Amino acid sequence: MSQERRYSFEFFPTKTEAGHEKLMDVARQLATYNPDFFSCTYGAGGSTRDRTLNTVLQLDGEIKVPTAPHLSCVGDSKAELRELLNLYKNAGIKRIVALRGDLPSGMGMASGELRYANELVEFIRTETGDHFHIEIAAYPEMHPQARNFEDDIANFVRKAKAGADSAITQYFFNADSYFYFVERVQKLGVDIPVVPGIMPITNYSKLARFSDACGAEIPRWVRKQLEAYGDDADSIRVFGEQVITEMCERLLQGGAPGLHFYSMNLAGPSLAIWNNLKLQR
Ligand code: FAD
């Protein structure tokens, strides 16, 4: 973990023109902080194919922050993946976040030719050599579908060794889970940077729903405190900023190689933490 630390912001492509304009305004604001890159999510099964592509090209080309498209393999054929890889490559995109993805309910079982992210990493390397810096996903609190922690760690190690350059974690609120995960994978010979994914706390009910789905644990003391604030959005914001800032301080002091902010297409929540941490670029 000797490299310079890196900082990035993640967006999701919007459904409306008005949402897109707002996203670009947020991106312009975040760009003034000189992040290393932006990333933009991809709806598994290709549901956001054009919107992700257009958003990535605009963030990269007009806002001029290097932007990494997310790409997931479930539900997409190799031909569709190849076409997107070539579009990105020809547009000068140099970084990609390679995922398995989760098919939206109703789309049935995975219909793609690649079943797991390690196969997508191999596919990207076969198709495009060393062109892309490949990011993969990591789960310090275990992927929700994994049979057990050992399996999940072994699968992460295989995915990293398939040719990944670095990893971004699912968000978590327990720094020890991150340090334990990194220690475990390092012992198995994986020394790529594993960058914590940081979710600012802004809205308790949404966060609780989302955390249940993705397997992130909200510690009891945080949950109880957030519940006690009820509709008091200001108190939730102040408490959330304090909890996340302190966790980020611990992560950085403990050697985390950077931070990746799940911006949720908002500037304020991530920047509050950024400013508290006095991150200099
Ligand atoms: P994998 O690494 O393939 O793992 C999935 C599960 O299968 C795990 O339980 C793993 O242990 C197991 N497994 C892995 N390989 C094997 C194997 N070879 N054999 C048997 N079991 C195996 N989703 C989206 O749809 N779009 C996005 O843009 C998106 N962006 C994300 C960004 C980040 C930083 C993170 C952390 C997640 C993101 N996700 C996104 C969610 C992600 O797609 C889901 O968590 C998905 O369920 C798993 O994707 P993965 O790439 O981690 O899968």
Side-chain angles (χ1 to χ4, degrees), residues 64-254:
K64 304 215 178 301
V65 173
T67 301
H70 295 208
L71 185 60
S72 67
C73 60
V74 285
D76 275 45
S77 66
K78 284 186 182 176
E80 286 165 324
L81 294 170
R82 184 177 295 118
E83 190 188 342
L84 268 178
L85 288 171
N86 285 330
L87 277 167
Y88 286 130
K89 188 176 167 194
N90 293 335
I93 299 294
K94 300 285 288 178
R95 185 188 296 260
I96 203 153
V97 185
L99 304 145
R100 182 195 73 175
D102 289 317
L103 280 185
S105 55
M107 279 185 77
M109 291 297 286
S111 53
E113 294 169 73
L114 305 174
R115 290 185 313 149
Y116 294 104
N118 64 297
E119 296 170 31
L120 179 60
V121 173
E122 272 171 32
F123 182 74
I124 297 172
R125 284 286 175 243
T126 306
E127 293 291 320
T128 60
D130 286 339
H131 176 81
F132 290 107
H133 176 113
I134 302 180
E135 304 275 352
I136 52 173
Y139 301 86
E141 295 183 325
M142 205 171 110
H143 184 266
Q145 289 157 7
R147 279 193 310 173
N148 56 53
F149 197 62
E150 298 306 313
D151 263 18
D152 209 29
I153 292 265
N155 287 328
F156 176 81
V157 168
R158 176 172 34 202
K159 179 166 67 170
K161 291 186 175 172
D165 295 291
S166 46
I168 301 171
T169 74
Q170 182 57 276
Y171 70 85
F172 54 85
F173 300 110
N174 178 355
D176 289 326
S177 68
Y178 168 81
F179 291 123
Y180 181 69
F181 179 86
V182 171
E183 190 186 313
R184 289 290 310 274
V185 301
Q186 281 180 345
K187 279 190 183 143
L188 293 168
V190 172
D191 61 357
I192 59 173
V194 178
V195 176
I198 302 301
M199 178 67 88
I201 297 176
T202 52
N203 174 314
Y204 174 59
S205 51
K206 266 196 208 160
L207 184 73
R209 240 190 352 263
F210 201 43
S211 301
D212 275 350
C214 72
E217 186 189 46
I218 307 178
R220 187 174 186 280
W221 68 275
V222 174
R223 193 159 41 84
K224 288 286 173 199
Q225 188 74 57
L226 290 171
E227 278 167 6
Y229 287 132
D231 294 335
D232 181 354
D234 273 349
S235 296
I236 291 177
R237 182 182 53 74
V238 170
F239 174 69
E241 281 174 19
Q242 186 196 348
V243 168
I244 301 297
T245 300
E246 284 173 12
M247 183 183 75
C248 289
E249 278 167 353
R250 258 201 81 197
L251 290 168
L252 293 172
Q253 277 162 14

